[in-house]
Amino acid sequence: MGEEAQIFSRLIYRNAKRNRKENLIYFATLVTAIASFYIILSLGRQDVILFLKEFENDSIDKLLAQMPIVYLFALFLLFFLILFANRYQLNRRSKEFGLYLLLGMRKKRLVLQLLAEGFITSILALIGGILIGGFLAEIISLTVSKLVGQGIIGHQISLSVGAIFFTIIGFLFIQFIALVILGGRLFNQEVHQLLYEQMDKKQDMGHFKGNVLNMLIGSVLLGVAYWIVLYRFMDFAGLLLFVALVLGSLGTILFMRGFGKLLGLLASLFKYKSTKGLHTFTLRQFQENVANRSTSVAVTSILITLSIILIADGASTFIGLESVFTRGSSLYDFTVNGDKQKVKQFLTSEKMVPYVEDLNLLEIGKMKYKDERGEDDFPLSLVDWSELREQIIMALPSNYKEQILSGEMQSYSFSSKNPEALNLLGALETDTTTPYLIPESSYNGLLGAIGKKPLNLRSDEIALYFNPDFMPMDNLESMPVLDTILEKAAKEGQNLMSINDQAIYIHPSIPMRGLVADRSVPIFSAFIVPDHMFEQLLNTETYVSYWNFRIPQKLQDQQGLMKPMMEARDLLKPSGFKFESYLQNFGRKLFYVVAGSYATLYMGFLFLIIACTVLALQFLTQMKQTGQRYVTLSMLGAKRNQMKKSMHRQVLLTFLLPISLACVSGAVGIRAMISFVIIHIEDKALLYPIALTFACIVIVILVIYGVAVARSADHEIDKLRWKPNID
C-alpha cells in the first residue's frame, strides 16, 4: 500500500510539473495575481503611507479600509478566471483522464489527483507570487519614497505578515472552490466522453439578415452609450452613467455576435489567394473562434475598455505628482498661533533660532459695523464700494454682464475658466460687508520676505488683497483688470470706495501670496490698511494673531527643505502652541496622488491581465479542439511553417478585434472624464511622456501574451501526428 501511495504521489508531482510547463500562461497569470494581491494588502506598510498617516490619518484609514473591498473584488474576478482556465485544463487532458479510468483508477481517486495537482501548483504560485509581490512592494515603496520624499521619508522593510496570510487564505479558498466544481464535473463524465473528448459542435453562423441586424443594433446601442457618456455624464446624479454602461456592454456583445458571424464575407474576398496561402482557412478559424464565443470576446473587450479608462485615470493622477513639489503661492513654512508675546519668546529662543528666518507677525480681524441699523434691523456696513462694483461689472464680457445686471446670477463660483473680473467681483461680494483687515506692517513683512518693496500707504489709501489659495490667478504679481480700473479712476480723479463716509483711494494691485503656511486663514479677500486705520476700524472680538516664519535658506542649501522642517516640527510639538506647516499641504497633495492612483492603476492592470488570459486560453482551447484540421492540411500539402504563420495571424486577429473596439470605447470614456474634470491634468508638459510610458506598458503586456499564445500554439502543432516529410 505504501508503494502504491508513493507511485500515486510521483504521478501527481510529475503531472503538476508538466501542466505548469504546458500551460505557462495560466501559471504566470496566477503568480502575477498573487503578487498584486500582496502589494495591495501590504499598502499600509509602505513608507509613503506611514509618512502620510502623520498628516492625513483619517483619510489614510479610509483609504486602507477600502483595500479589502478591492481585494475581495479582485478575488471574485480571479475565481472565474481560475474556473475558466481549469476547464480548459480539463478539456485538454480529457483523454488522459479517460485512460486512467480505463486502467482501473476510481473516479474518487482521479478527483483527488486533480485536487492534489491543483494544490501543488497553487503552493508554487503562492511562493513565487509572494516573493515577487514582496520585492515589487519594496521597489514601489522605495521608488515613491525617493521620488516624493526628498529625504523626509525614511525607508524601512515593508514585509507584511497580515498581507501574506490573507493572500494565501484568499487564493487557496478560490482555487479549492474552482477545483471542487471541476472535480464534480469530471466525476459525472463517462469514460467514453473523456476518451473521445467533445466532438466539434456544428457551427451556427445564423442568417445573414439576423447577423446584420445584430451588428446594427449593437452599433446603435454603442452610439447611444457614447452620446450619454459624452454629453449627459453627470445627469441624474450619475444614474445615466450606469445606463450607458449597460447599453455599452449589451451593444458590444451584439456587435461582436453579428460581426463574428459575418466574417465569412471577408473569407470570400480572399478566395483568389486561397492557393497561394492559408488566408481563407485563417479567416474561417478566426470566424469560428469569435462566432462561437462572441459573449466571452465581448466581455474581454469590456474589461480592456475599463482597463484603459482606469489606467488613464491613474496615470493622470500620477501626473499630478509634480504638483506635490510646487509651492504655488505658499511662502511660509510654519504658522504658529497663541499668545502673541509667548509665541514670539519661544520662536526667538536658542533652540528655535537656527530654524527661524523672516519671522513676521500677521494680525487680522474683521471691520466693525456702523452704529446705526438699516430697515431690516441689520447693522450697516462702513464700506461703500458701489463705484468700484460698477466698474468691475463694466469690465465683464457682455454675456456675464447681462446676467449680473438682470439679477439672473445670484451666486459666484471661483474658477480659472472664469474671466478675471468675475472672480474679482465674486471675492468682493463675499467679503466687503465686513471685510477682513490686515495692517500694512504685517503685509510689508511678507513682501520683505519675497524681496518686494514695502507698500508705504497714505493715511487715506488701502490695498486690496485676494487670497491666491482660493481665488485662481494667472499672475501672482498683478491683476490686469483691477489695475486698468484703478488707473482710469486715478486719471479722472474718481474715488471708487468710501469707508465710514470718507473717500478712500485704492493702491494699484500688489503681489499676492498665501498669508499662512497652510489653511488657518481661509479668506477670499481683505483690505490692507495703514496701521492706525486697522486700530480704528477693527472689531476687536474678531482679532487673531499668527507668527509666520521660514526655514533659513542656508539650512535648506545644506540639508534640503524637508529635513529641517521635520526637526522644527518636532521642537514645536511639545510647546503647547497650535501650529501648522507646509508639510501638511505637501502631505495632503501627496495623499490625493496616492489615493487616486494606487487602486485605479491596480484594478486597471488586473482587468487587462484577466482579459488577456481569457483571450489566450480561449484561443488555445479552440486550437486543441480543431487540431486535427492541421493534420488534414498537411495531407493536402500544406507546409508546417505555412500553418504556423496562419496560426500566428489568428492570434493577432483574436487579440486585435476586442482591443480595437475597446480603444474606441476607452477613448470616448477618457474624453468624457476630461470634459467633466474627473481626469484633470495640470502639467501638460508631463502628459505625453507619462501617457506614452503607460501606453507602452499596456502594449508590452499585450505583446507578451500574444507571443506566449503563439509559442504555445506552435508547441501544440509540433505535437500533432504529421504526414512524413512534411517540411
Side-chain angles (χ1 to χ4, degrees), residues 11 26 80 85 149 165 181 213 282 307 319 347 414 464 483 486 507 605 610 615 669:
L11 178 66
Y26 171 58
F80 288 102
F165 175 77
I181 291 171
L213 187 63
T282 301
S307 171
I319 293 171
L347 295 178
F414 300 95
L464 296 177
D483 284 340
L486 296 178
H507 191 279
F605 283 112
I610 289 173
L615 283 174

Side-chain angles (χ1 to χ4, degrees), residues 54-349:
E54 298 185 39
F55 313 106
E56 295 289 326
N57 190 41
D58 291 341
S59 300
I60 288 293
D61 287 342
K62 288 177 183 176
L63 173 66
L64 294 177
Q66 292 176 2
M67 290 304 106
I69 299 171
V70 175
Y71 165 72
L72 290 173
F73 182 62
L75 274 182
F76 176 75
L77 292 175
L78 192 66
F79 168 73
F80 288 102
L81 178 64
I82 289 174
L83 196 63
F84 179 80
N86 283 340
R87 209 172 92 189
Y88 158 71
Q89 194 89 316
L90 187 63
N91 290 337
R92 190 175 63 81
R93 298 176 62 195
S94 61
K95 192 172 291 186
E96 176 192 341
F97 292 145
L99 284 172
Y100 287 145
L101 293 175
L102 198 63
L103 292 171
M105 184 181 281
R106 288 173 299 165
K107 282 189 175 181
K108 287 183 179 178
R109 187 101 168 183
L110 183 58
V111 172
L112 183 63
Q113 177 187 326
L114 182 68
L115 289 171
E117 288 175 13
F119 180 74
I120 291 172
T121 301
S122 299
I123 293 298
L124 291 173
L126 279 167
I127 293 170
I130 289 172
L131 288 174
I132 292 171
F135 175 74
L136 290 176
E138 288 295 311
I139 294 296
I140 292 169
S141 182
L142 192 57
T143 302
V144 175
S145 297
K146 293 296 180 186
L147 193 60
V148 303
Q150 298 179 334
I152 59 169
I153 306 176
H155 179 64
Q156 55 184 326
I157 299 297
S158 58
L159 183 67
S160 172
V161 176
I164 293 174
F165 175 77
F166 284 108
T167 299
I168 293 171
I169 293 298
F171 178 72
L172 287 180
F173 176 73
I174 61 171
Q175 180 75 302
F176 177 75
I177 296 297
L179 287 171
V180 165
I181 291 171
L182 291 167
R185 184 183 169 193
L186 177 63
F187 191 83
N188 291 324
Q189 283 189 303
E190 297 299 328
V191 176
H192 69 88
Q193 290 177 296
L194 293 169
L195 279 173
Y196 298 104
E197 306 179 44
Q198 290 184 345
M199 299 296 291
D200 287 351
K201 293 178 182 177
K202 183 180 179 182
Q203 307 306 320
D204 177 20
M205 294 303 166
H207 298 289
F208 177 79
K209 290 181 180 178
N211 295 332
V212 170
L213 187 63
N214 274 337
M215 271 193 70
L216 286 174
I217 294 174
S219 300
V220 169
L221 290 177
L222 281 170
V224 172
Y226 293 161
W227 179 80
I228 291 173
V229 168
L230 287 171
Y231 301 104
R232 294 290 182 266
F233 193 83
M234 302 300 288
D235 286 9
F236 301 103
L239 183 62
L240 274 183
L241 190 59
F242 176 74
V243 174
L245 186 62
V246 172
L247 291 178
S249 300
L250 188 59
T252 302
I253 292 169
L254 290 174
F255 180 86
M256 287 296 182
R257 182 175 296 172
F259 182 78
K261 293 179 179 180
L262 288 173
L263 278 170
L265 292 175
L266 285 177
S268 64
L269 295 176
F270 288 100
K271 278 184 179 177
Y272 70 94
K273 290 185 177 179
S274 58
T275 56
K276 192 175 178 182
L278 297 174
H279 301 284
T280 303
F281 174 76
T282 301
L283 282 172
R284 290 293 184 190
Q285 285 284 97
F286 174 53
Q287 178 188 22
E288 185 178 313
N289 195 13
V290 175
N292 290 333
R293 300 173 178 84
S294 57
T295 302
S296 108
V297 173
V299 168
T300 59
S301 184
I302 294 165
L303 286 174
I304 295 171
T305 299
L306 294 173
S307 171
I308 290 170
I309 293 171
L310 288 169
I311 290 171
D313 187 20
S316 71
T317 311
F318 192 76
I319 293 171
L321 191 62
E322 184 68 18
S323 67
V324 172
F325 308 112
T326 305
R327 291 295 295 258
S329 63
S330 175
L331 169 68
Y332 292 112
D333 297 322
F334 284 92
T335 297
V336 186
N337 179 231
D339 183 89
K340 188 166 35 174
Q341 296 304 321
K342 288 181 180 178
V343 172
K344 183 179 181 181
Q345 185 179 358
F346 176 77
L347 295 178
T348 53
S349 64

Side-chain angles (χ1 to χ4, degrees), residues 304-305 308 658-668:
I304 295 171
T305 299
I308 290 170
I659 289 168
S660 300
L661 185 56
C663 285
V664 175
S665 300
V668 171

